[in-house]
Amino acid sequence: MTTANFTAAGGRLSAEITCEPRRDGSYDLRLWHRDLNKKVKEWSGNFRVTEDDRYDLPAPASVNHGRALQSLVVVAVPSGVSPSTVSLIVRQGDKELARESRLVEQGSVDQLVQLWVDLQLVGGK
Amino acid sequence: MRRGLNLLLTVVFLGTDVAAAEDVTRAWSFKNNFSIPDAPAYLLLGVEPSDILRPETPRDLALGFAKFRTGDGGFGIPRAIALEFSPLLLSSPDDLTLAQYKKRRLWYASRLSVATLLDSTTGTPSRLAGGFRVTVVDERTIGTDSSYIESLRVTDLTRQILQIRTSAADRFREEAFRAIDVEAEAGGLSAAAVRERKREWIRKYGGDNPAQTIEEDEQIARLSKEIKKRFTERYWNATVLDLAAGVRATSPDSTGRSMRLDALSLWGTYALRTGRISQVILGLKGGSQRDSLDGDMRANLAVGARYYIGSARGKAFAEWQTTVSEEQRARCTLTGGIEFAASEWAWLNFGVASTKTTGEASQVVTTFRLKTALPSF
């Protein structure tokens, strides 16, 4: 589990799911409350197009302190093609704060990948 | 998990002739259901009437067996054995990346092959052949990254798999968290301590493989199989260009002694997608072969085309081939047939071939062949 340290004044937080090289696949992205038992919000998507895989987190950024992002991804990487790297990237503005990645080998057409990123406010509210 | 590219041991039974005819066509890969190549060394054994080398995506290792028929009409150990391998793919690391592959693509796509034909009476090798092949163009696998998404369309299936996996992951997590809550209640843990325990659990167990029920496993297996099927159906007829060369030595008698170089060949073969369900293979072979009577080497040239229509699992084919040799009459062969997968392990091939040599009557032969392949090590 990676931690994304953000500041209150650094701008809006966003999360992006990527798959490189791009493969056919689907994902869920969840933002968990601080107590981890309830979801604040949930998004779904796929990798057919990559322009819409970035999501803004609730504003102001400070409300996300202690929350956790979880992404569940299934990517179809059949035999005979190169492996793909699936990543959950957290940014504040355009600045990348954290990146959690996992390699999906060829022949993994049904494997689940879970990526977690903790959101931590630094420098006080 | 597995070797970087096609770490694939493919065992191909290339011939169980039912009719009194020579072997005609090739087998299919079980793993991805693409065609299994006739290795250059295998073709030089002379057990195939066709001189067209079927192009194929590079693979680590492939084995081929043919000529199971014995002299008394029964079945025995194969008399024709061939092996083709890519040295670089065999020695490549498990995490071979696309960039690494592309950097040395021609090296990875270079394969060596060896083959032998055992004498039908003594069982000793009476013919040996060696070959080299390189795949110059291959749009079937590695080179398809950019067009992969647009053409494959399996997102609906990955979504279904994700739902099953997500449900299992949530169940797994909820059970663990419930246990932590119960423990906290009994032990009087603070909210912060409970939170930390749960975070610790995620760090340790919130991984990629939640436990599923048997039913969920079966559902995922079905969806996974469908994805592989769609991949194969999409790429079975993709464009591939192979260049190859080979040499052969033959013994003058059944003892296998006094082997002598008696043939060398060069191939160029181009498989081209002509439509969603069709493919044409254009083949050219030039070489030289020793005349069995006077011992002189004679040049020969063969030109052919084979057309497939169907799907990865079943297709019809028609082939034309003309062969001209020094001081011999031209020979034209027309072949038609079907090949299909009877199951995931068995491939059947039916064919009818008519051969016409200038100045002679046509000869017609029918063939039936059973081929099987194993997926991997």
Side-chain angles (χ1 to χ4, degrees):
Chain A
M1 186 186 266
T2 306
T3 300
N5 294 311
F6 63 95
T7 60
R12 187 110 189 218
L13 289 172
S14 67
E16 184 180 16
I17 313 296
T18 65
C19 178
E20 184 61 39
R22 192 161 61 103
R23 300 287 182 202
D24 215 337
S26 304
Y27 64 83
D28 279 352
L29 176 63
R30 299 152 163 195
L31 179 63
W32 289 94
H33 274 289
R34 189 173 177 176
D35 61 9
L36 292 174
N37 287 326
K38 192 177 173 189
K39 282 173 264 186
V40 177
K41 200 164 183 182
E42 188 168 11
W43 301 266
S44 295
N46 60 54
F47 298 121
R48 276 191 184 173
V49 288
T50 54
E51 288 76 21
D52 57 356
D53 296 322
R54 185 167 171 169
Y55 304 93
D56 284 336
L57 304 188
S62 57
V63 300
N64 297 298
H65 173 59
R67 291 175 175 173
L69 279 166
Q70 176 196 23
S71 184
L72 302 104
V73 188
V74 167
V75 184
V77 187
S79 298
V81 301
S82 59
S84 282
T85 301
V86 176
S87 303
L88 168 57
I89 306 163
V90 177
R91 295 185 180 86
Q92 187 164 32
D94 289 331
K95 183 184 176 188
E96 182 175 319
L97 301 180
R99 178 185 292 253
E100 179 84 346
S101 299
R102 197 72 50 84
L103 189 73
V104 183
E105 296 283 0
Q106 59 151 327
S108 309
V109 297
D110 54 12
Q111 184 182 325
L112 177 75
V113 172
Q114 287 202 62
L115 305 166
W116 288 85
V117 173
D118 254 345
L119 303 174
Q120 292 292 327
L121 179 65
V122 293
K125 295 186 180 181
Chain B
M1 183 199 306
R2 290 182 19 255
R3 191 170 289 280
L5 291 171
N6 273 337
L7 182 53
L8 190 67
L9 172 62
T10 307
V11 179
V12 191
F13 298 93
L14 281 170
T16 51
D17 301 359
V18 169
E22 293 294 323
D23 298 335
V24 173
T25 55
R26 290 124 299 277
W28 289 79
S29 159
F30 162 71
K31 183 63 182 173
N32 53 19
N33 292 339
F34 294 150
S35 61
I36 288 177
D38 291 327
Y42 173 77
L43 276 189
L44 273 178
L45 292 181
V47 297
E48 294 272 354
S50 174
D51 285 318
I52 298 178
L53 182 69
R54 195 168 187 167
E56 181 54 282
T57 295
R59 64 183 72 215
D60 307 58
L61 181 64
L63 286 170
F65 301 99
K67 292 291 184 186
F68 289 87
R69 294 295 296 273
T70 59
D72 58 6
F75 291 90
I77 60 170
R79 291 195 297 113
I81 302 166
L83 180 151
E84 186 177 51
F85 63 99
S86 163
L88 207 57
L89 278 183
L90 272 178
S91 59
S92 64
D94 290 350
D95 56 352
L96 179 69
T97 64
L98 177 63
Q100 290 170 327
Y101 181 87
K102 281 182 172 173
K103 196 174 176 182
R104 303 173 74 186
R105 190 178 63 80
L106 291 181
W107 286 101
Y108 282 112
S110 297
R111 285 149 285 170
L112 301 174
S113 58
V114 292
T116 183
L117 181 66
L118 306 179
D119 186 83
S120 59
T121 52
T122 63
T124 56
S126 59
R127 182 166 279 179
L128 294 173
F132 168 81
R133 175 218 300 260
V134 59
T135 298
V136 181
V137 176
D138 182 9
E139 296 182 359
R140 190 172 273 171
T141 54
I142 289 297
T144 58
D145 283 338
S146 58
S147 62
Y148 179 86
I149 304 297
E150 289 75 8
S151 57
L152 201 52
R153 305 288 178 185
V154 299
T155 307
D156 55 328
L157 301 175
T158 59
R159 184 74 220 162
Q160 290 177 52
I161 292 173
L162 179 65
Q163 283 171 350
I164 297 170
R165 293 277 200 193
T166 301
S167 168
D170 285 349
R171 197 170 57 235
F172 188 41
R173 172 186 160 280
E174 282 165 13
E175 285 169 5
F177 281 19
R178 198 176 303 127
I180 292 172
D181 287 338
V182 168
E183 194 182 336
E185 211 168 292
L189 288 178
S190 67
V194 170
R195 190 180 307 135
E196 186 51 39
R197 291 281 292 274
K198 290 178 178 175
R199 285 181 186 276
E200 182 61 26
W201 183 90
I202 288 173
R203 273 191 286 273
K204 276 188 178 175
Y205 306 110
D208 304 332
N209 297 299
Q212 284 129 204
T213 64
I214 293 173
E215 279 183 356
E216 287 171 333
D217 280 343
E218 288 172 350
Q219 286 176 331
I220 289 173
R222 277 196 298 274
L223 292 164
S224 176
K225 193 174 175 182
E226 181 61 25
I227 289 176
K228 290 175 181 173
K229 183 182 164 192
R230 290 192 190 184
F231 177 79
T232 304
E233 290 293 346
R234 172 63 183 81
Y235 290 115
W236 74 269
N237 58 351
T239 298
V240 184
L241 171 62
D242 275 4
L243 300 177
V247 295
R248 184 184 80 186
T250 302
S251 170
D253 53 40
S254 61
T255 63
R257 294 176 190 154
S258 307
M259 287 268 185
R260 188 182 185 195
L261 181 72
D262 74 330
L264 52 94
S265 293
L266 297 171
W267 290 269
T269 182
Y270 186 53
L272 179 68
R273 181 198 296 270
T274 51
R276 194 174 56 84
I277 59 167
S278 61
Q279 180 188 51
V280 65
I281 296 178
L282 306 173
L284 180 69
K285 177 201 166 195
S288 184
Q289 187 166 328
R290 192 177 300 283
D291 189 291
S292 58
L293 296 177
D294 60 21
D296 292 339
M297 297 295 280
R298 310 269 190 224
N300 58 65
L301 181 69
V303 181
R306 187 183 301 144
Y307 182 73
Y308 288 101
I309 185 164
S311 67
R313 304 289 289 173
K315 59 184 71 66
F317 66 92
E319 178 179 331
W320 155 82
Q321 181 180 304
T322 293
T323 306
V324 290
S325 303
E326 213 177 346
E327 298 185 17
Q328 284 188 14
R329 292 170 178 169
R331 191 176 76 246
C332 181
T333 303
L334 297 175
T335 308
I338 56 173
E339 55 185 43
F340 62 94
S343 73
E344 288 187 339
W345 292 91
W347 294 83
L348 299 177
N349 182 293
F350 299 92
V352 179
S354 173
T355 301
K356 176 82 170 69
T357 302
T358 305
E360 297 178 10
S362 297
Q363 285 187 315
V364 177
V365 294
T366 59
T367 62
F368 165 72
R369 298 176 64 203
L370 168 67
K371 306 161 187 179
T372 66
L374 295 179
S376 62
F377 288 109

